[in-house]
């Protein structure tokens, strides 16, 4: 118990000393230490009763998501975008394929010359396999993959589930910029992360900036992706600073920072075909 308090105090000192908002907007609430004890008595999901995916994901849907990261040769980015915008909407609009485009972006700040694609498979793993099997017989898609491969330096993907307490990502009008915040957690901490964010997400809903929250099932594990939308970078700064002025947001940061191994932020610009504009 003493070690846990010491760790929490260290996190608190880092938060106080690291780049707070003007006027102390990021100052930690005075009863932070007491709230640490109160949190022990808050009802939490018991990770021993079921698989994490069943405890944290939405029960009313069986959606599976795939996120793709394509690192493109710098000289090929425009051609890559044009090819993507020509072919991918056909899959999105074809009722024979149980998959939907959720969003398509180029990274603006973060890893450069990168494309990010988010797909939804309505029906879970059977829908994914149905789609993959049909694509193997789709000559246009196979030609697309062959041509695309000449433009890429590397690519990777993950299969994701959506957190039960987040919004389902729905099409929205623009113009917006999008932030994809990726957290790589310490193994064994996903339930604790979910318990804290289930309480905290209400502090980030006022400006409709919360788009979607996901956690990995296949690929690199214990990875969380939070997707946010803002009008511009200034709006992002103001919205994030406003969260620190809400009582309770600081506690979420206080409890979740120790769960993180690494974190990354991408600022992304939607492609023309993206349902999230």
């Amino acid at each position: 118990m003493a070690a846990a308090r010491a760790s929490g105090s260290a996190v608190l000192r880092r938060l106080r000393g690291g780049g707070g908002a003007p006027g102390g907007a990021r100052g930690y609430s005075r009863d932070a230490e007491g709230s640490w004890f109160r949190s022990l008595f808050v009802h939490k999901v018991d990770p021993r009763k079921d698989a994490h995916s069943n405890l944290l994901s939405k029960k009313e849907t069986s959606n599976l998501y795939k996120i793709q990261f394509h690192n493109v040769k710098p000289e090929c980015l425009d051609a890559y975008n044009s090819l993507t915008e020509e072919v991918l909407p056909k899959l999105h609009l074809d009722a024979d394929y149980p998959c939907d485009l959720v969003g398509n972006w180029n990274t603006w700040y973060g890893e450069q010359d990168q494309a990010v694609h988010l797909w939804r498979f309505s029906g879970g793993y059977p829908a994914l396999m149905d789609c993959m099997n049909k694509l193997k017989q789709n000559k246009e898609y196979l030609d697309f993959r062959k041509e695309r491969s000449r433009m890429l330096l590397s690519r990777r993907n993950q299969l994701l589930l959506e957190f039960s307490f987040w919004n389902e990502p729905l099409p929205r009008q623009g113009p917006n910029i999008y932030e994809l915040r990726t957290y790589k957690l310490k193994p064994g901490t996903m339930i604790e992360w979910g318990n804290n964010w289930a309480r905290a997400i209400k502090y980030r809903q006022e400006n409709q900036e919360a788009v979607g929250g996901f956690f990995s099932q296949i690929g690199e594990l214990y990875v969380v992706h939070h997707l946010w939308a803002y009008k511009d970078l200034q709006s992002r700064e103001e919205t994030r600073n406003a969260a620190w002025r809400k009582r309770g947001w600081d506690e979420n940061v206080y409890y979740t920072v120790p769960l993180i191994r690494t974190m990354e932020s991408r600022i992304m610009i939607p492609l023309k075909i993206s349902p999230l504009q």
Side-chain angles (χ1 to χ4, degrees), residues 38-230:
R38 291 197 301 273
S39 72
L40 298 178
F41 302 99
V42 174
H43 174 70
K44 296 183 178 182
V45 171
D46 187 345
R48 297 169 296 179
K49 293 189 179 299
D50 205 345
H52 290 185
S53 58
N54 292 333
L55 293 171
L56 293 171
S57 62
K58 292 184 177 179
K59 302 294 190 298
E60 64 272 18
T61 67
S62 55
N63 291 334
L64 180 69
Y65 291 82
K66 179 170 72 171
I67 192 167
Q68 300 172 302
F69 300 95
H70 291 171
N71 293 318
V72 184
K73 295 176 183 178
E75 67 274 16
C76 295
L77 186 60
D78 289 340
Y80 170 93
N81 287 340
S82 296
L83 182 64
T84 295
E85 291 171 344
E86 177 186 349
V87 176
L88 295 191
K90 297 177 183 178
L91 300 178
H92 174 71
L93 296 173
D94 192 334
D96 197 37
Y97 291 89
C99 61
D100 300 299
L101 284 175
V102 177
N104 312 81
W105 304 269
N106 286 148
T107 300
W108 184 23
Y109 288 104
E111 197 162 357
Q112 296 293 283
D113 304 307
Q114 185 181 72
V116 181
H117 305 286
L118 184 62
W119 294 86
R120 180 193 296 114
F121 296 87
S122 301
Y125 291 106
L128 171 69
M129 296 310 300
D130 182 30
C131 190
M132 295 300 101
N133 289 332
K134 289 176 179 176
L135 288 175
K136 291 177 183 178
Q137 310 301 321
N138 185 325
K139 185 180 184 304
E140 182 180 13
Y141 182 76
L142 295 177
D143 290 342
F144 159 73
R145 282 176 56 100
K146 185 175 181 180
E147 185 175 356
R148 186 188 66 183
S149 67
R150 301 188 185 102
M151 306 176 184
L152 298 180
L153 294 170
S154 64
R155 59 193 179 100
R156 61 186 174 90
N157 59 26
Q158 294 173 339
L159 293 181
L160 314 171
L161 295 176
E162 55 187 329
F163 284 110
S164 61
F165 46 85
W166 270 77
N167 310 332
E168 182 173 348
L170 299 174
R172 63 172 67 195
Q173 296 181 341
N176 296 293
I177 63 171
Y178 288 81
E179 181 176 18
L180 183 67
R181 296 181 70 87
T182 299
Y183 305 89
K184 297 181 180 180
L185 305 185
K186 298 174 183 177
T189 62
M190 187 65 73
I191 292 292
E192 188 174 355
W193 179 275
N195 279 323
N196 280 286
W197 269 95
R199 293 189 292 266
I201 189 63
K202 62 184 178 182
Y203 302 115
R204 298 296 309 274
Q205 298 279 17
E206 287 185 3
N207 295 323
Q208 298 182 336
E209 68 267 27
V211 178
F214 313 91
F215 59 99
S216 61
Q217 282 290 283
I218 295 179
E220 188 173 4
L221 299 178
Y222 284 97
V223 177
V224 169
H225 299 288
H226 290 175
L227 184 60
W228 309 91
Y230 305 99

